[in-house]
Amino acid sequence: HTLDSIRALIRLDADRAYKMTGDFAKYVRYRVDGVEQMAQTVPFSKELRAIRAYTDIKKAQLGERFQIEFDVETEDFEILPLTIQPLVENSVIHAVQLRRGGGLVRVVCREEKDGYHIEVIDNGPGAQIEAQPRDDQKRHTAIENVNTRLEYYGIPPIRYSDNDLGGKTAYIVYPKHIK
């Protein structure tokens, strides 16, 4: 979809096509590098850059139907790669794109005494991830992979709750030091 969007933009708006191409390159580079570095940590700021590249692409594709907000108090800590980005992607796919009028995704990060509280909040119907059986045909591989890696490092899994916006909040309490 992204490449088709870039192709269309080349004729309509070369500057936007140029920016989307750069965002797509950042996004793909981070995904490939992240897979190669699964056992290492990366600065949260790097994960945020990949999230911003992804959301900029979606904003270009969905226009006013997609709103993204960042409320990040700190990004100066280490995190396993591809931990928060898949949560944002899930919110866009299962919340924003499913709503006729579009939707909102908010990324929040707060430093707390025991670690970093990171939330991905949306206002859509969500994927009901926690309610689906593990053998369901609609597996949520990216989320399962994140939870598997979190478990390996002794980090509690992603938790979900309903929120005041009518959507879901996915959150992780990420420790200050990984075992």
Side-chain angles (χ1 to χ4, degrees):
H1 294 288
T2 302
L3 292 175
D4 287 337
S5 295
I6 291 169
R7 283 184 57 211
L9 278 176
I10 287 170
R11 291 184 187 267
L12 301 172
D13 188 338
D15 290 339
R16 283 182 56 207
Y18 181 81
K19 181 179 180 338
M20 186 183 272
T21 303
D23 289 336
F24 188 58
K26 286 179 204 167
Y27 170 74
V28 170
R29 190 176 309 115
Y30 184 72
R31 295 288 299 216
V32 170
D33 290 349
V35 169
E36 292 174 356
Q37 299 171 343
M38 285 295 186
Q40 301 171 11
T41 59
V42 296
F44 184 59
S45 59
K46 188 172 184 178
E47 179 103 351
L48 275 177
R49 277 194 300 277
I51 291 169
R52 285 188 171 103
Y54 172 78
T55 57
D56 284 352
I57 290 167
K58 287 304 181 181
K59 184 80 174 144
Q61 291 173 331
L62 299 170
E64 294 302 314
R65 290 186 56 229
F66 175 44
Q67 301 299 314
I68 179 73
E69 296 175 358
F70 292 92
D71 183 5
V72 177
E73 287 183 351
T74 184
E75 54 187 69
D76 188 25
F77 62 97
E78 294 286 314
I79 190 168
L80 294 169
L82 299 171
T83 300
I84 306 304
Q85 190 277 332
L87 298 177
V88 173
E89 196 167 325
N90 256 23
S91 285
V92 171
I93 292 167
H94 297 291
V96 175
Q97 290 180 177
L98 292 180
R99 290 177 52 134
R100 178 171 288 157
L104 166 73
V105 175
R106 182 179 300 139
V107 178
V108 178
C109 179
R110 302 278 185 268
E111 183 174 4
E112 297 176 348
K113 182 180 167 188
D114 59 342
Y116 302 94
H117 188 90
I118 306 167
E119 298 179 332
V120 177
I121 303 162
D122 66 54
N123 67 344
Q128 305 301 325
I129 294 166
E130 69 278 14
Q132 292 189 353
R134 294 188 63 78
D135 62 344
D136 190 313
Q137 288 182 344
K138 289 183 157 185
R139 296 177 60 88
H140 298 279
T141 306
I143 301 304
E144 289 178 6
N145 288 342
V146 171
N147 276 331
T148 298
R149 287 187 298 121
L150 292 173
E151 180 183 1
Y152 179 81
Y153 288 99
I155 302 169
I158 302 163
R159 293 191 175 93
Y160 299 91
S161 63
D162 294 330
N163 61 45
D164 294 341
L165 300 174
K168 293 283 184 192
T169 297
Y171 63 95
I172 296 174
V173 177
Y174 207 86
K176 292 194 175 184
H177 304 286
I178 298 175
K179 300 174 190 175

